[in-house]
Short mmCIF file of all heavy atoms in Angstrom, two decimals:
data_model
loop_
_atom_site.label_atom_id
_atom_site.label_comp_id
_atom_site.label_asym_id
_atom_site.label_seq_id
_atom_site.Cartn_x
_atom_site.Cartn_y
_atom_site.Cartn_z
N ALA B 26 -16.45 8.16 18.04
CA ALA B 26 -16.12 9.46 17.49
C ALA B 26 -15.99 10.52 18.58
O ALA B 26 -15.07 11.38 18.60
CB ALA B 26 -17.23 9.91 16.50
N ALA B 27 -16.90 10.45 19.57
CA ALA B 27 -16.85 11.41 20.69
C ALA B 27 -15.61 11.22 21.55
O ALA B 27 -14.99 12.25 22.05
CB ALA B 27 -18.10 11.26 21.57
N ASN B 28 -15.13 9.96 21.66
CA ASN B 28 -13.98 9.67 22.57
C ASN B 28 -12.67 10.30 22.02
O ASN B 28 -11.78 10.68 22.74
CB ASN B 28 -13.80 8.17 22.66
CG ASN B 28 -12.61 7.78 23.49
OD1 ASN B 28 -12.56 8.06 24.67
ND2 ASN B 28 -11.64 7.15 22.84
N ASN B 29 -12.58 10.45 20.68
CA ASN B 29 -11.38 10.91 20.07
C ASN B 29 -11.35 12.41 19.76
O ASN B 29 -10.30 12.91 19.38
CB ASN B 29 -11.05 10.13 18.81
CG ASN B 29 -10.63 8.70 19.12
OD1 ASN B 29 -9.49 8.43 19.27
ND2 ASN B 29 -11.61 7.78 19.19
N GLY B 30 -12.48 13.07 19.88
CA GLY B 30 -12.52 14.54 19.65
C GLY B 30 -12.46 14.87 18.22
O GLY B 30 -11.43 14.64 17.53
N LEU B 31 -13.54 15.38 17.68
CA LEU B 31 -13.62 15.68 16.24
C LEU B 31 -12.64 16.70 15.78
O LEU B 31 -12.00 16.56 14.72
CB LEU B 31 -15.05 16.15 15.91
CG LEU B 31 -16.20 15.12 16.15
CD1 LEU B 31 -17.53 15.74 15.76
CD2 LEU B 31 -15.93 13.87 15.32
N LYS B 32 -12.52 17.80 16.53
CA LYS B 32 -11.61 18.87 16.12
C LYS B 32 -10.16 18.41 16.00
O LYS B 32 -9.50 18.69 14.98
CB LYS B 32 -11.71 20.04 17.13
CG LYS B 32 -10.93 21.27 16.66
CD LYS B 32 -11.09 22.43 17.66
CE LYS B 32 -10.27 23.64 17.24
NZ LYS B 32 -10.45 24.76 18.16
N LYS B 33 -9.70 17.67 16.99
CA LYS B 33 -8.34 17.22 16.97
C LYS B 33 -8.14 16.17 15.86
O LYS B 33 -7.06 16.20 15.18
CB LYS B 33 -8.00 16.57 18.33
CG LYS B 33 -6.57 16.09 18.47
CD LYS B 33 -6.32 15.51 19.88
CE LYS B 33 -4.89 15.00 19.95
NZ LYS B 33 -4.62 14.43 21.28
N LEU B 34 -9.14 15.39 15.60
CA LEU B 34 -9.01 14.35 14.59
C LEU B 34 -8.95 14.97 13.19
O LEU B 34 -8.07 14.57 12.36
CB LEU B 34 -10.19 13.46 14.69
CG LEU B 34 -10.21 12.13 13.85
CD1 LEU B 34 -9.04 11.27 14.25
CD2 LEU B 34 -11.51 11.40 14.04
N ILE B 35 -9.76 15.97 12.90
CA ILE B 35 -9.76 16.64 11.60
C ILE B 35 -8.45 17.35 11.34
O ILE B 35 -8.12 17.58 10.19
CB ILE B 35 -10.95 17.56 11.48
CG1 ILE B 35 -12.29 16.73 11.53
CG2 ILE B 35 -10.95 18.43 10.25
CD1 ILE B 35 -13.53 17.53 11.60
N GLN B 36 -7.71 17.73 12.39
CA GLN B 36 -6.48 18.45 12.19
C GLN B 36 -5.32 17.54 11.70
O GLN B 36 -4.27 18.05 11.39
CB GLN B 36 -6.06 19.10 13.52
CG GLN B 36 -6.96 20.30 13.85
CD GLN B 36 -6.65 20.84 15.24
OE1 GLN B 36 -6.00 20.23 16.05
NE2 GLN B 36 -7.16 22.04 15.49
N GLN B 37 -5.54 16.23 11.68
CA GLN B 37 -4.53 15.29 11.18
C GLN B 37 -4.66 15.33 9.65
O GLN B 37 -5.30 14.56 9.00
CB GLN B 37 -4.83 13.88 11.75
CG GLN B 37 -4.96 13.78 13.21
CD GLN B 37 -3.71 14.22 13.93
OE1 GLN B 37 -2.58 13.93 13.53
NE2 GLN B 37 -3.89 15.05 14.97
N LYS B 38 -3.85 16.27 9.05
CA LYS B 38 -4.05 16.59 7.62
C LYS B 38 -3.76 15.39 6.71
O LYS B 38 -4.47 15.16 5.77
CB LYS B 38 -3.16 17.78 7.27
CG LYS B 38 -3.61 19.06 7.96
CD LYS B 38 -2.73 20.22 7.54
CE LYS B 38 -3.24 21.53 8.20
NZ LYS B 38 -2.40 22.70 7.82
N GLU B 39 -2.64 14.70 6.93
CA GLU B 39 -2.27 13.60 6.03
C GLU B 39 -3.34 12.48 6.15
O GLU B 39 -3.78 11.94 5.14
CB GLU B 39 -0.88 13.03 6.34
CG GLU B 39 0.26 13.83 5.84
CD GLU B 39 1.58 13.13 6.03
OE1 GLU B 39 1.63 12.06 6.68
OE2 GLU B 39 2.58 13.62 5.53
N ALA B 40 -3.75 12.16 7.36
CA ALA B 40 -4.77 11.12 7.52
C ALA B 40 -6.09 11.55 6.94
O ALA B 40 -6.81 10.72 6.33
CB ALA B 40 -4.92 10.84 9.05
N LEU B 41 -6.45 12.80 7.07
CA LEU B 41 -7.72 13.30 6.46
C LEU B 41 -7.65 13.25 4.94
O LEU B 41 -8.63 12.85 4.31
CB LEU B 41 -7.96 14.77 6.89
CG LEU B 41 -9.25 15.38 6.40
CD1 LEU B 41 -10.45 14.62 6.77
CD2 LEU B 41 -9.34 16.84 6.88
N GLU B 42 -6.52 13.62 4.39
CA GLU B 42 -6.38 13.58 2.91
C GLU B 42 -6.49 12.13 2.38
O GLU B 42 -7.24 11.88 1.45
CB GLU B 42 -5.01 14.10 2.56
CG GLU B 42 -4.62 13.99 1.06
CD GLU B 42 -3.16 14.36 0.84
OE1 GLU B 42 -2.54 15.08 1.62
OE2 GLU B 42 -2.63 13.91 -0.23
N LEU B 43 -5.83 11.24 3.05
CA LEU B 43 -5.88 9.84 2.66
C LEU B 43 -7.31 9.22 2.84
O LEU B 43 -7.75 8.39 2.05
CB LEU B 43 -4.84 9.01 3.42
CG LEU B 43 -3.38 9.34 3.05
CD1 LEU B 43 -2.45 8.80 4.09
CD2 LEU B 43 -3.02 8.80 1.68
N SER B 44 -7.94 9.66 3.90
CA SER B 44 -9.30 9.16 4.18
C SER B 44 -10.27 9.61 3.08
O SER B 44 -11.16 8.83 2.67
CB SER B 44 -9.78 9.68 5.54
OG SER B 44 -8.94 9.17 6.58
N ILE B 45 -10.17 10.86 2.68
CA ILE B 45 -11.05 11.35 1.62
C ILE B 45 -10.83 10.60 0.30
O ILE B 45 -11.71 10.23 -0.40
CB ILE B 45 -10.82 12.88 1.44
CG1 ILE B 45 -11.32 13.63 2.67
CG2 ILE B 45 -11.51 13.37 0.19
CD1 ILE B 45 -10.98 15.09 2.63
N ILE B 46 -9.49 10.33 0.02
CA ILE B 46 -9.18 9.61 -1.21
C ILE B 46 -9.81 8.23 -1.20
O ILE B 46 -10.31 7.73 -2.18
CB ILE B 46 -7.63 9.52 -1.37
CG1 ILE B 46 -7.12 10.88 -1.78
CG2 ILE B 46 -7.25 8.50 -2.41
CD1 ILE B 46 -5.62 10.98 -1.76
N LYS B 47 -9.72 7.55 -0.02
CA LYS B 47 -10.32 6.22 0.11
C LYS B 47 -11.82 6.26 -0.11
O LYS B 47 -12.37 5.41 -0.88
CB LYS B 47 -10.04 5.65 1.48
CG LYS B 47 -10.81 4.35 1.75
CD LYS B 47 -10.59 3.82 3.13
CE LYS B 47 -11.49 2.65 3.49
NZ LYS B 47 -11.41 1.52 2.53
N MET B 48 -12.46 7.21 0.54
CA MET B 48 -13.92 7.30 0.51
C MET B 48 -14.51 7.72 -0.85
O MET B 48 -15.67 7.50 -1.15
CB MET B 48 -14.46 8.15 1.61
CG MET B 48 -14.03 7.63 3.02
SD MET B 48 -14.54 5.92 3.34
CE MET B 48 -16.35 6.06 3.54
N LEU B 49 -13.63 8.28 -1.69
CA LEU B 49 -14.06 8.67 -3.05
C LEU B 49 -13.55 7.61 -4.06
O LEU B 49 -14.27 7.22 -4.97
CB LEU B 49 -13.50 10.04 -3.41
CG LEU B 49 -14.10 11.23 -2.63
CD1 LEU B 49 -13.40 12.51 -3.08
CD2 LEU B 49 -15.60 11.33 -2.84
N GLY B 50 -12.32 7.22 -3.91
CA GLY B 50 -11.63 6.31 -4.86
C GLY B 50 -12.16 4.88 -4.85
O GLY B 50 -12.39 4.25 -5.90
N MET B 51 -12.47 4.34 -3.70
CA MET B 51 -12.93 2.93 -3.57
C MET B 51 -14.29 2.72 -4.25
O MET B 51 -14.48 1.78 -4.99
CB MET B 51 -12.93 2.48 -2.16
CG MET B 51 -13.25 1.03 -1.93
SD MET B 51 -11.90 -0.08 -2.50
CE MET B 51 -10.95 -0.18 -0.95
N PRO B 52 -15.24 3.63 -3.97
CA PRO B 52 -16.51 3.41 -4.72
C PRO B 52 -16.41 3.55 -6.26
O PRO B 52 -17.06 2.83 -6.98
CB PRO B 52 -17.40 4.52 -4.14
CG PRO B 52 -16.82 4.84 -2.83
CD PRO B 52 -15.35 4.65 -2.99
N LEU B 53 -15.50 4.46 -6.70
CA LEU B 53 -15.29 4.54 -8.16
C LEU B 53 -14.71 3.28 -8.72
O LEU B 53 -15.13 2.83 -9.80
CB LEU B 53 -14.41 5.78 -8.44
CG LEU B 53 -15.05 7.14 -8.24
CD1 LEU B 53 -13.99 8.23 -8.41
CD2 LEU B 53 -16.18 7.34 -9.20
N LEU B 54 -13.74 2.74 -8.01
CA LEU B 54 -13.16 1.44 -8.43
C LEU B 54 -14.21 0.36 -8.46
O LEU B 54 -14.26 -0.44 -9.44
CB LEU B 54 -11.99 1.06 -7.50
CG LEU B 54 -11.36 -0.29 -7.75
CD1 LEU B 54 -10.76 -0.38 -9.15
CD2 LEU B 54 -10.29 -0.56 -6.67
N ALA B 55 -15.05 0.24 -7.43
CA ALA B 55 -16.09 -0.74 -7.37
C ALA B 55 -17.10 -0.63 -8.52
O ALA B 55 -17.51 -1.59 -9.16
CB ALA B 55 -16.81 -0.67 -6.06
N TRP B 56 -17.45 0.64 -8.80
CA TRP B 56 -18.39 0.92 -9.92
C TRP B 56 -17.76 0.45 -11.22
O TRP B 56 -18.48 -0.16 -12.07
CB TRP B 56 -18.71 2.39 -9.96
CG TRP B 56 -19.52 2.78 -11.15
CD1 TRP B 56 -20.91 2.58 -11.29
CD2 TRP B 56 -19.06 3.40 -12.34
NE1 TRP B 56 -21.31 3.09 -12.53
CE2 TRP B 56 -20.18 3.56 -13.20
CE3 TRP B 56 -17.82 3.84 -12.82
CZ2 TRP B 56 -20.11 4.12 -14.49
CZ3 TRP B 56 -17.71 4.38 -14.06
CH2 TRP B 56 -18.82 4.54 -14.87
N ALA B 57 -16.51 0.69 -11.44
CA ALA B 57 -15.82 0.27 -12.64
C ALA B 57 -15.79 -1.26 -12.75
O ALA B 57 -16.04 -1.85 -13.83
CB ALA B 57 -14.42 0.79 -12.72
N VAL B 58 -15.58 -1.93 -11.64
CA VAL B 58 -15.57 -3.41 -11.63
C VAL B 58 -16.96 -3.96 -11.96
O VAL B 58 -17.08 -4.95 -12.71
CB VAL B 58 -15.09 -3.94 -10.25
CG1 VAL B 58 -15.32 -5.47 -10.14
CG2 VAL B 58 -13.59 -3.60 -10.05
N LEU B 59 -17.98 -3.35 -11.47
CA LEU B 59 -19.36 -3.78 -11.68
C LEU B 59 -19.77 -3.71 -13.17
O LEU B 59 -20.71 -4.40 -13.56
CB LEU B 59 -20.32 -2.98 -10.86
CG LEU B 59 -20.35 -3.28 -9.34
CD1 LEU B 59 -21.22 -2.34 -8.59
CD2 LEU B 59 -20.74 -4.69 -9.10
#
């Protein structure tokens, strides 16, 4: 995390949007499967 720079990384808007969707959507899908 330190090597890539947090501020610069968070500015990648499309990647950040997709990352949030993954981290919210995948657990919901797993919970439904369970």
